[in-house]
Amino acid sequence: GYWVSLYPISYTSPYRVPNTLTNTHSVYFDGTGDYMDSNFGATTEGDTSAVLNGDFTISCWAKFDDGQPSSAQWIWGASNAGPQDEVSLQLTSAGKLSFLYESDNDGTVAAQTNAAQFASGATNWCHIACVLDDTANQMSIFINGESITLSSTSSYDGDISSETPANFATTADMFFGGRNRNGSLDSNPLTGYMDEISVWNKSMNLY
């Protein structure tokens, strides 16, 4: 079930290296172009599609400079042209988390927290886990081990019955601290810290 854990965080040229390391493990992203490349697409074992075409869990510890940034920020993600295939996590300007997914041009769906999870200003450290359960046709968001109530609005309620995860087919590397948009860092990357990033090829029970 365990697929890969990016801990301690490491970097490879030519990708941007965040400029502040704290306590040797947590990494600060300054929102001006810093990001970490997972290199998932660089090897057969690490192909992004190999872990995102079925059940998966992506988790990390995070501490945001502003829990309600002026513009939504990408925490992590990868997408190809279109996007036709995408998986990403965004912190919205309203302090909500939005977990987005699309497989084979089926249309982007999201699991978005119903209420703000973060107030304006610097946040405390928290553990965030995004889970896709292919069998249950559902995406979920956990914060500090608690399942968070999602929006009841269609396309934001985490329902993936319109998606076919088995057809997820991008080799775009996952970026952390921002989103890989068809090979380039997307606008509005993260301002804040991340630590202990893990990716699992199973839907984890986090209760």
Side-chain angles (χ1 to χ4, degrees):
Y2 178 79
W3 194 69
V4 63
S5 177
L6 305 176
Y7 177 86
I9 292 173
S10 60
Y11 307 92
T12 56
S13 180
Y15 300 107
R16 290 294 305 275
V17 179
N19 56 20
T20 305
L21 296 176
T22 304
N23 298 328
T24 73
H25 293 305
S26 63
V27 177
Y28 181 72
F29 301 89
D30 65 11
T32 63
D34 293 346
Y35 66 94
M36 184 183 69
D37 187 290
S38 66
N39 284 324
F40 283 3
T43 66
T44 300
E45 181 182 12
D47 192 307
T48 308
S49 299
V51 71
L52 301 179
N53 63 357
D55 295 348
F56 66 83
T57 301
I58 301 175
S59 68
C60 67
W61 285 89
K63 184 178 187 296
F64 307 124
D65 279 12
D66 189 348
Q68 296 186 5
S70 57
S71 297
Q73 297 183 355
W74 297 108
I75 300 171
W76 48 254
S79 69
N80 54 13
Q84 296 177 333
D85 300 89
E86 173 186 10
V87 60
S88 56
L89 179 65
Q90 188 176 54
L91 172 65
T92 76
S93 59
K96 300 179 180 182
L97 290 177
S98 189
F99 171 27
L100 298 97
Y101 185 80
E102 179 174 8
S103 175
D104 197 28
N105 208 28
D106 285 335
T108 302
V109 295
Q112 185 174 94
T113 58
N114 186 56
Q117 301 301 308
F118 306 101
S120 179
T123 71
N124 295 322
W125 279 101
C126 65
H127 186 263
I128 300 170
C130 295
V131 180
L132 184 144
D133 188 327
D134 190 10
T135 302
N137 283 323
Q138 185 66 39
M139 299 191 300
S140 304
I141 298 175
F142 293 81
I143 299 179
N144 295 329
E146 179 183 355
S147 181
I148 304 301
T149 300
L150 302 178
S151 170
S152 59
T153 303
S154 177
S155 298
Y156 291 90
D157 59 4
D159 181 1
I160 60 166
S161 57
S162 62
E163 304 288 329
T164 307
N167 293 336
F168 190 94
T170 182
T171 56
D173 291 349
M174 287 281 294
F175 284 2
F176 297 95
R179 182 176 74 155
N180 181 352
R181 175 77 174 191
N182 199 31
S184 299
L185 181 66
D186 207 345
S187 57
N188 299 320
L190 178 68
T191 303
Y193 294 87
M194 294 181 73
D195 197 0
E196 296 187 42
I197 302 164
S198 297
V199 181
W200 306 71
N201 62 348
K202 63 187 300 184
S203 56
M204 305 290 287
N205 183 347
L206 298 173
Y207 288 102

